[in-house]
């Protein structure tokens, strides 16, 4: 049966591949991005997130699923605004529209680096929903020369948020499955520049050792996301599915159980 699925970041990379896959399967896809899609809005600001929700609702009062791919890389404080709050606030804003679906699902894109050590204060501010404090901490980290903690911090907080929220009345109680995918290195416009410098590739492969089949295309992540938001996924929730060629397993080994 055709489903209505909202995909953020639909203009590029993983979001674009997900939108294409779902469309090819007969779903109706509503894209959200800065440009070149159905709903153009800036998910890095509270006003932009409200505009995005309103824009989707004007096209479809009921949606079956949301896939949140929009995000940015880098070491700047702005990363937190889009990668954490731009995801959590937007998908939460979509809950009323999901309530009308018989099989509501949400999947967000975290990262395999979500498991890397980051900054506790940044994570706590994100999880407290305090965007101002999170932004302030990110600015401090950048000023202290620790900007590299911001991206993993934003993704680690997102993974923790998914686990925390998924089992609440608002999500599980409403029948909405909420999961994340943690990709390794994906060949998209976001990562393209990294491949110009062999030293960067070596550093990346050290941080994200993809022992099974190496780097991946965006269609690999799209397939995983498409399953998580399908009707068939009736009982997986609160999970971070690492689709990373084994990188997370290399780092954490077998002692997580
Ligand atoms: P991409 O750069 O190809 O696509 C990201 C999309 O998000 C773009 O269309 C961009 O316009 C949109 N976007 C960025 N800021 C936005 C904003 N403020 N409001 C609305 N839309 C905005 O990147 P890619 O690789 O497809 O990344 C998608 C997600 O996957 C991101 O969350 C990224 O952190 C994550 N990821 C990517 C990996 C990679 O190696 N490419 C690895 C692990 C995670």
């Amino acid at each position: 049966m055709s489903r209505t699925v909202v995909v953020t970041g639909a203009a590029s990379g993983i979001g674009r591949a997900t939108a294409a896959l779902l469309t090819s399967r007969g779903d109706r896809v509503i894209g959200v991005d800065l440009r070149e899609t159905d709903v153009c809005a800036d998910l890095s600001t509270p006003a932009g997130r409200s505009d995005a929700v309103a824009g989707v609702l004007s096209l479809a009062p009921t949606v079956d699923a949301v896939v949140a791919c929009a995000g940015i890389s880098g070491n700047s404080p702005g990363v937190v605004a889009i990668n954490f709050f731009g995801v959590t606030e937007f998908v939460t804003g979509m809950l009323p529209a999901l309530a009308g679906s018989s099989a509501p699902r949400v999947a967000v894109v975290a990262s395999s680096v979500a498991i890397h050590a980051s900054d506790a204060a940044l994570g706590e501010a994100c999880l407290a929903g305090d965007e101002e404090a999170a932004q302030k901490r990110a600015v401090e980290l950048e000023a202290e020369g620790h900007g590299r903690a911001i991206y993993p911090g934003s993704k680690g907080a997102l993974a923790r948020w998914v686990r925390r929220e998924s089992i609440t009345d608002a999500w599980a109680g409403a029948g909405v499955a909420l999961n994340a995918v943690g990709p390794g290195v994906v060949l998209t416009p976001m990562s393209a520049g990294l491949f110009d410098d062999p030293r960067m590739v070596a550093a990346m492969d050290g941080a994200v050792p993809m022992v099974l089949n190496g780097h991946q295309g965006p269609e690999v992540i799209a397939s995983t996301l498409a399953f998580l938001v399908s009707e068939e996924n009736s009982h997986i929730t609160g999970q971070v599915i690492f689709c990373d060629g084994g990188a997370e397993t290399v780092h954490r080994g077998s002692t997580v159980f």
Side-chain angles (χ1 to χ4, degrees):
M1 200 177 66
S2 171
R3 287 161 65 75
T4 299
V5 185
V6 179
V7 178
T8 77
S12 178
I14 295 169
R16 188 183 175 118
T18 305
L21 176 64
L22 294 170
T23 302
S24 75
R25 292 182 179 180
D27 287 340
R28 175 189 179 196
V29 171
I30 298 174
V32 177
D33 208 304
L34 289 169
R35 60 190 75 81
E36 295 169 24
T37 193
D38 306 299
V39 175
C40 295
D42 182 356
L43 293 167
S44 70
T45 69
R49 292 165 207 149
S50 299
D51 288 349
V53 171
V56 170
L57 292 182
S58 72
L59 297 175
T62 294
V63 306
D64 295 295
V66 180
V67 183
C69 303
I72 57 173
S73 56
N75 304 332
S76 72
V79 165
V80 175
I82 170 72
N83 289 9
F84 184 82
F85 294 97
V87 175
T88 57
E89 272 194 26
F90 178 72
V91 299
T92 302
M94 292 309 301
L95 276 172
L98 288 157
S101 171
S102 58
R105 317 277 186 252
V106 171
V108 309
V109 180
S111 168
S112 62
V113 303
I115 63 167
H116 290 192
S118 179
D119 180 72
L122 178 64
E124 293 311 321
C126 287
L127 287 161
D130 189 339
E131 187 162 2
E132 202 180 319
Q135 197 64 31
K136 185 165 168 280
R137 183 60 192 147
V139 168
E140 286 169 3
L141 285 169
E142 189 186 42
E144 291 162 6
H146 300 303
R148 289 180 66 182
I150 298 172
Y151 180 82
S154 71
K155 296 297 190 178
L158 182 60
R160 286 175 64 190
W161 182 86
V162 162
R163 288 185 69 77
R164 185 185 76 185
E165 294 299 313
S166 64
I167 52 175
T168 62
D169 285 348
W171 291 87
V176 188
L178 172 63
N179 292 285
V181 174
V185 178
V186 189
L187 304 166
T188 68
M190 177 185 281
S191 60
L194 300 172
F195 288 91
D196 296 341
D197 180 352
R199 284 170 310 175
M200 189 59 85
V201 176
M204 202 161 59
D205 288 343
V208 185
M210 300 180 70
V211 292
L212 175 71
N213 294 330
H215 306 141
Q216 60 202 332
E219 67 284 352
V220 178
I221 308 303
S223 305
T224 311
L225 289 164
F227 167 70
L228 288 173
V229 299
S230 68
E231 273 186 288
E232 286 77 8
N233 176 27
S234 57
H235 283 77
I236 298 173
T237 201
Q239 300 303 307
V240 181
I241 307 295
F242 288 99
C243 186
D244 63 358
E248 183 266 347
T249 310
V250 170
H251 280 303
R252 294 215 278 202
S254 56
T255 53
V256 289
F257 296 106

